[in-house]
Amino acid sequence: MHVDDLLTELLERIRVILDADTAAVLLMEAGSDALVARAARGLEDEVRQGVKVPLGVGFAGSIAARREAVLLDRVDSTTVANPILWEKGIKAMLGVPLVSGEEVIGVLHVGRLGPRPFTTEDADLLQVAGDRVAAALQARLLAVETAAAQLLERGLLPTRLPTVEGLEFASRYVTADNRTIGGDWYDAFLLPSGRLWLVTGDVAGHGLDAAVVMGRVRSALRAYALLDAPVAEVVALTDRKVDHFEIGSMVTLVCATAPPPYDRFDVCSAGHLPPVLADPAGGASFLELPVGPPLGVTREARREAATVELTPGVVMLLYTDGLVERRETSLTQRLALLRDSTRADAPEAVCRDVMHDLVGSDTTRDDIAVLAVRRTPTPARA
């Protein structure tokens, strides 16, 4: 059942139980200190007109700010901010906060057209109903948000990796065991000039908001990459975009880019863990490169890049922190395990082995994105 349909059905039941003529739910608007009418029975104009009430203002705003029930036996411009209520002839009102955990998520209120005031017993009953509405609402909104985030996040991942002569690719992307979507992503794309870009990144946080920011950062980086500017400059431009438009967001990423024949990659990191390089002749090690601050943390951060040569047979592995971070084990130990698990093998085998060794049957609490690239080995001479 859709969230709005669920609320409408619950409001109708509440209206009957309390012998009320109207019932409505206003929810806190994301990113603002205001309540917005979401569902109503008996006074649907609130929803149709998109009524918005600032926190602490009027009847509904006071309920949310004070986190307690409010009874009114006079409804006019001195007690209620929404003129629809007194214009329709409402004489008495009762409202309670909708609380989830420690957070006020909205207000539930009822009204009567006749001069029949609500009682404290009515308030207790409405609060019980409000608690159930809040619980049902949060469960349904979480399900809807998760589904939307999954569609968004999956839709933003590459449907297929590039076909590039001389290179082989493989990738993995898995969500956390609790199915909570985060902001992890990987990307691999070719520009019209033939330049190749490889990216892994992570937006701090979880849920739909993180997935939305991830999509915007990914799109911005792709757009700036079209300038064919150095990788450090592209990361700096993306950082300015995050700092200005994604206020409060923090994003880590690592970008590796190379022109044909794709034997030398320039790599830039913004607060991200370093790629692993696996050489057929010398084992695996972490790429040494300057690491700047995450995007969105400080203005005009200096961005630098390192150059790495990808000789035939060498594998470069990019990943997000969900692969290596575990509460019960130190990051140093986990990174050592990742290094030891990364071999100069076919990228598909590299992804398989890394996920087997570092994830296995563990319960994962974060998304994981992995991207492996190998320069095609030189055929052995007969």
Side-chain angles (χ1 to χ4, degrees), residues 3 15 17 29 51 65 82 85 89 108 116 126 140 142 181 209 220 241 255 268 318 325 335 348-349 352 367 369 378:
V3 172
R15 191 168 67 150
I17 291 171
E29 184 180 45
V51 168
N82 179 11
L85 296 171
L108 166 64
R116 293 175 296 120
L126 187 63
R140 191 57 53 90
L142 178 61
I181 296 300
D209 289 345
K241 189 269 184 190
C255 302
C268 182
L318 287 68
E325 289 188 348
L335 287 172
E348 190 60 41
R352 179 199 64 208
D367 292 3
T378 302

Side-chain angles (χ1 to χ4, degrees), residues 65 82 91 124 171 221 256 337:
N82 179 11
K91 303 300 183 184
D124 291 341
S171 63
L221 192 146
L337 177 59

Side-chain angles (χ1 to χ4, degrees), residues 137-158:
L137 184 62
Q138 282 297 87
R140 191 57 53 90
L141 286 174
L142 178 61
V144 171
E145 179 180 286
T146 300
Q150 286 174 340
L151 287 172
L152 175 63
E153 195 161 35
R154 289 290 186 179
L156 289 172
L157 294 174

Side-chain angles (χ1 to χ4, degrees), residues 4-18:
D4 293 336
D5 294 334
L6 172 67
L7 287 175
T8 299
E9 182 176 320
L10 292 172
L11 289 177
E12 184 59 32
R13 294 180 184 180
I14 291 168
R15 191 168 67 150
V16 171
I17 291 171
L18 286 173

Side-chain angles (χ1 to χ4, degrees), residues 243-268:
D243 180 69
H244 186 75
F245 291 107
E246 312 295 347
I247 298 172
S249 297
M250 185 178 75
V251 184
T252 70
L253 59 78
V254 62
C255 302
T257 178
Y262 313 111
D263 55 351
R264 293 174 64 85
F265 280 80
D266 293 327
V267 185
C268 182

Side-chain angles (χ1 to χ4, degrees), residues 282-296:
S285 61
F286 290 102
L287 176 62
E288 294 184 7
L289 74 163
V291 179
L295 308 185

Side-chain angles (χ1 to χ4, degrees), residues 20 22 27 37 42 49 51 63 84 133 172 180 205 210 213 251 297 320 359 372:
T22 70
L27 298 180
Q49 296 180 25
V51 168
I63 294 169
I84 296 175
V133 168
R172 292 290 188 276
T180 299
V213 172
V251 184
V297 170
T320 57
V359 178

